[in-house]
Amino acid sequence: MLSASDLAGRLAQDAEAVCRHYLSAGRRAGNYWLVGDVANSKGRSLYVHLTGPRAGRWTDAATGQFGDLLDLVRETCGLVDFRDVAEEARHFLSLPKPAPMWSSRAYGADDRPVDRPAAERAQRLFRMTVPLAGTLADVYLRERRILRASAHAALRFHPSCYYRDLVTGRTTSYPALIAAVTNAAGAITGVHRTYLSSSPHPDGVNKARVDDPRRALGGLLGNAVRFRFPVNASVPVMAAGEGLETMLSLSHVMPAMPMVAALTANHLAGFNFPPGCQRLYIAADADAAGRHGIEGLSRRAQECGILPLVLSPELGDFNEDLRWLGPDRLAASLRAQLTPEDATAFLP
């Protein structure tokens, strides 16, 4: 049986054919294949090396994801177990080699490879999860003073979620907090995974000791992880931010306010506003990427006639405020930043 590195090497020998099959929404540009993301969206953020010593290596400039073509197969197909990833790769390698096609105009619509919907891949992983209450992920959040996370339907737990090291190719599995990314209609378009350590630790449950313990899969652009968010309904006031723990901390003290976690600064900037939105509170993130997301979302909100208001933590982030200053101090800080009518409506 071929090893992971052997399979990746075999795929890299015909990187363009792999890209045309799994990333059919993209196109070739010189020695690269350009596409929007691993969900096969249109765009130019993700690029794959087609030739040279780095053939088959890819990077998504928007999310920071990277890897080889075996990782690409895993992400585009929404696979969890390495056995399934290897089987998919072997199945592809047994197909006749497609003729080179240098332009997207060289073939008709009926000849294009079948696109695998991102929603189906994400939904498959989400169906493999269990309710959050009482699980290791619930403990992880409770240790961060987020006590009511199990009340959110978007959060689930996977006891043994597949993880592959992008550098060594070694495969293993870890327990994981799984968050559903949904669109305005409530349909799952993607998932976010926070890999957790299963080994006892004096400090409690921590993230797994891997290079990237947080990974996203599926269609994130315009969508988000939603908390207390009505489906296809008017949302006059809401809050948005990047991280799960940031928004869950805000939701802990303002449980009635609709909130979303967009997961990255770029996806925060591109969030699709709900109908009827009048005021948008944006949870601040201090780093450069966070400021970029805030500025982008604020600009788009103003263009849509929505008032953007930035919420700032006292410490490094809102979860630090919740943990070290306590919920009463966090609520008092937020009360000073909300409009009077929103403070009355959303803060107890």
Side-chain angles (χ1 to χ4, degrees):
M1 180 181 293
L2 292 175
S3 67
S5 59
D6 291 335
L7 282 171
R10 289 282 300 276
L11 291 169
Q13 291 174 13
D14 203 348
E16 184 177 352
V18 176
C19 291
R20 290 194 178 278
H21 185 75
Y22 294 101
L23 298 175
S24 56
R27 63 181 181 86
R28 178 165 183 154
N31 294 326
Y32 299 91
W33 188 266
L34 304 180
V35 72
D37 51 35
V38 291
N40 197 27
S41 305
K42 291 184 178 180
R44 300 169 56 89
S45 174
L46 188 150
Y47 57 94
V48 185
H49 295 265
L50 299 179
T51 61
R54 291 186 57 78
R57 305 297 298 184
W58 59 272
T59 300
D60 189 330
T63 66
Q65 289 176 285
F66 63 93
D68 57 28
L69 290 178
L70 205 58
D71 300 307
L72 193 67
V73 169
R74 181 198 68 221
E75 296 290 347
T76 57
C77 295
L79 300 174
V80 178
D81 296 323
F82 176 71
R83 179 179 57 186
D84 295 332
V85 179
E87 179 60 29
E88 174 68 21
R90 285 194 292 269
H91 175 70
F92 175 83
L93 290 169
S94 70
L95 296 175
K97 182 178 178 180
M101 293 176 287
W102 297 90
S103 169
S104 61
R105 295 185 295 248
Y107 50 89
D110 292 341
D111 300 321
R112 294 180 184 272
V114 176
D115 181 21
R116 300 169 184 265
E120 291 184 10
R121 300 194 294 272
Q123 289 165 4
R124 178 186 179 191
L125 176 56
F126 199 72
R127 285 195 299 268
M128 300 172 69
T129 61
V130 299
L132 186 68
T135 66
L136 191 70
D138 193 17
V139 175
Y140 167 81
L141 293 173
R142 285 178 173 275
E143 289 176 347
R144 284 146 186 82
R145 301 294 296 275
I146 299 169
L147 306 180
R148 295 186 288 270
S150 60
H152 298 294
L155 302 179
R156 305 270 291 185
F157 176 66
H158 195 302
S160 184
C161 192
Y162 167 80
Y163 179 89
R164 180 168 184 265
D165 189 297
L166 300 179
V167 177
T168 66
R170 186 174 67 89
T171 61
T172 185
S173 61
Y174 295 92
L177 168 64
I178 307 294
V181 178
T182 56
N183 60 19
I188 295 176
T189 63
V191 291
H192 183 268
R193 296 155 290 182
T194 302
Y195 291 96
L196 304 174
S197 174
S198 56
S199 302
H201 194 278
D203 296 333
V205 180
N206 293 317
K207 290 189 285 290
R209 299 184 64 180
V210 293
D211 288 339
D212 47 350
R214 301 181 188 271
R215 285 184 176 176
L217 165 69
L220 275 63
L221 186 60
N223 306 313
V225 182
R226 298 168 192 260
F227 307 116
R228 307 295 188 192
F229 217 89
V231 175
N232 285 334
S234 177
V235 182
V237 181
M238 63 166 289
E242 285 186 53
L244 286 175
E245 291 165 37
T246 289
M247 301 314 295
L248 285 169
S249 298
L250 290 177
S251 183
H252 181 79
V253 296
M254 296 190 294
M257 181 179 286
M259 298 188 183
V260 300
L263 304 177
T264 72
N266 283 330
H267 290 108
L268 177 62
F271 174 70
N272 291 331
F273 304 117
C277 188
Q278 300 172 14
R279 286 186 299 283
L280 171 66
Y281 291 99
I282 307 174
D285 197 320
D287 62 17
R291 290 193 295 273
H292 163 76
I294 292 171
E295 292 168 0
L297 187 61
S298 297
R299 183 170 56 253
R300 290 183 52 244
Q302 291 172 338
E303 292 171 353
C304 295
I306 301 170
L307 175 63
L309 298 166
V310 177
L311 299 177
S312 299
E314 293 189 59
L315 301 178
D317 57 49
F318 285 108
N319 188 242
E320 287 189 11
D321 283 8
L322 179 63
R323 294 168 67 186
W324 304 116
L325 303 181
D328 292 342
R329 175 76 172 269
L330 174 56
S333 174
L334 292 171
R335 187 179 299 277
Q337 301 182 64
L338 299 181
T339 67
E341 59 186 299
D342 292 338
T344 300
F346 295 109
L347 282 171

